[in-house]
Amino acid sequence: GAGVSQSPSNKVTEKGKDVELRCDPISGHTALYWYRQSLGQGLEFLIYFQGNSAPDKSGLPSDRFSAERTGGSVSTLTIQRTQQEDSAVYLCASSFQPGRGYEQYFGPGTRLTVT
Amino acid sequence: AQSVTQLDSHVSVSEGTPVLLRCNYSSSYSPSLFWYVQHPNKGLQLLLKYTSAATLVKGINGFEAEFKKSETSFHLTKPSAHMSDAAEYFCVVSDRNNNDMRFGAGTRLTVKP
């Protein structure tokens, strides 16, 4: 079946502009995660959604970052007033249930370049 | 909160020799542990996972990992490296009382011919 999809695959933007990154999780997966992977670095947790519960935003690096998940499915990560340090690959993952024992399925990522 | 330490940022082996990628974890409760692989310009793929069943876990592509609670370790091994194993490997811990998974910084495996 279809995996996690993300769009766009690549995004180049000017410093100070806003960007929106989209994630379509696997159908039926209740948990959705956003991560950031900077060049040569590991994955940095950003935000987590589970069903209709309030999201865990503990990983968002600043108030310029926000995310929403509509209808328990598609999610959008928004970065306002982008900075050069925001350049990274943004990965989305979903899982059938959160946490213990359930693997996360990752999308291909969106490569964001801020010039 | 849980955390993961991957002890080597880069490991280089010759083709046909054993692979050892080290991972230590910290968790307040019984953890679930995972190894993911990321090939260049590819997405993350699950290699194997431990969820409190057998402590020796076998995964895809001949990899396996052993959960050692006394050592808080979950090292990844393979008896004989193949060129196609060259990739970035991430150790991940999930705590049953938390809903997120914590990734290690990654280990880049290079396989020399």
Side-chain angles (χ1 to χ4, degrees), chain A residues 27-88:
Chain A
S27 178
H29 281 193
T30 63
L32 187 146
Y33 306 77
W34 282 99
Y35 297 89
R36 177 169 69 176
Q37 185 175 29
S38 302
L39 186 62
Q41 303 295 314
L43 271 69
E44 175 187 5
F45 166 75
L46 296 178
I47 189 169
Y48 156 77
F49 295 89
Q50 166 55 26
N52 296 320
S53 302
D56 176 357
K57 304 179 182 180
S58 59
L60 295 178
S62 78
D63 58 8
R64 295 187 295 105
F65 288 72
S66 63
E68 62 178 21
R69 188 179 184 192
T70 55
S73 181
V74 172
S75 177
T76 302
L77 176 69
T78 301
I79 309 173
Q80 296 177 310
R81 304 180 303 282
T82 53
Q83 304 294 314
Q84 288 185 330
E85 60 263 29
D86 299 334
S87 296

Side-chain angles (χ1 to χ4, degrees), chain A residues 4-11 20-24 34 74-77 90 92 107-111:
Chain A
V4 177
S5 61
Q6 292 185 247
S7 60
S9 56
N10 280 285
K11 177 71 176 179
E20 284 190 353
L21 312 180
R22 178 187 167 103
C23 172
D24 283 272
W34 282 99
V74 172
S75 177
T76 302
L77 176 69
Y90 289 82
C92 176
T110 294
R111 182 176 298 278

Side-chain angles (χ1 to χ4, degrees), chain A residues 31 33 35 37 40-45 48 50 56 58-59 91 98-108 111, chain B residues 30-32 34 36 38 41 43-44 46 49 51-52 90 94-96 98-106 108:
Chain A
Y33 306 77
Y35 297 89
Q37 185 175 29
Q41 303 295 314
L43 271 69
E44 175 187 5
F45 166 75
Y48 156 77
Q50 166 55 26
D56 176 357
S58 59
L91 293 167
R100 185 175 177 82
Y102 292 97
E103 69 175 278
Q104 294 183 8
Y105 294 82
F106 283 83
R111 182 176 298 278
Chain B
S30 298
S32 291
F34 307 76
Y36 281 82
Q38 186 177 35
N41 300 314
L44 283 148
L46 180 71
K49 65 180 181 181
T51 57
S52 80
F90 294 96
S94 174
D95 187 317
R96 72 178 180 204
N98 289 317
N99 292 321
D100 65 282
M101 298 168 74
R102 298 293 171 171
F103 281 71
R108 181 171 301 278

Side-chain angles (χ1 to χ4, degrees), chain B:
Chain B
Q2 67 272 31
S3 65
V4 164
T5 301
Q6 290 185 242
L7 299 167
D8 307 291
S9 59
H10 184 210
V11 170
S12 181
V13 301
S14 297
E15 189 175 21
T17 64
V19 176
L20 170 64
L21 305 183
R22 298 183 293 165
C23 172
N24 286 96
Y25 70 91
S26 172
S27 177
S28 302
Y29 302 94
S30 298
S32 291
L33 292 155
F34 307 76
W35 276 98
Y36 281 82
V37 61
Q38 186 177 35
H39 287 92
N41 300 314
K42 297 285 183 66
L44 283 148
Q45 180 184 19
L46 180 71
L47 272 180
L48 50 80
K49 65 180 181 181
Y50 165 78
T51 57
S52 80
T55 56
L56 181 62
V57 181
K58 294 186 183 299
I60 62 172
N61 301 335
F63 284 94
E64 61 182 40
E66 185 171 8
F67 173 70
K68 292 186 176 180
K69 186 175 182 179
S70 61
E71 300 177 7
T72 61
S73 70
F74 190 59
H75 301 334
L76 181 70
T77 61
K78 182 173 180 177
S80 176
H82 191 273
M83 296 298 292
S84 62
D85 294 328
E88 189 88 15
Y89 291 80
F90 294 96
C91 182
V92 185
V93 63
S94 174
D95 187 317
R96 72 178 180 204
N97 287 316
N98 289 317
N99 292 321
D100 65 282
M101 298 168 74
R102 298 293 171 171
F103 281 71
T107 298
R108 181 171 301 278
L109 176 65
T110 301
V111 182
K112 298 174 291 187

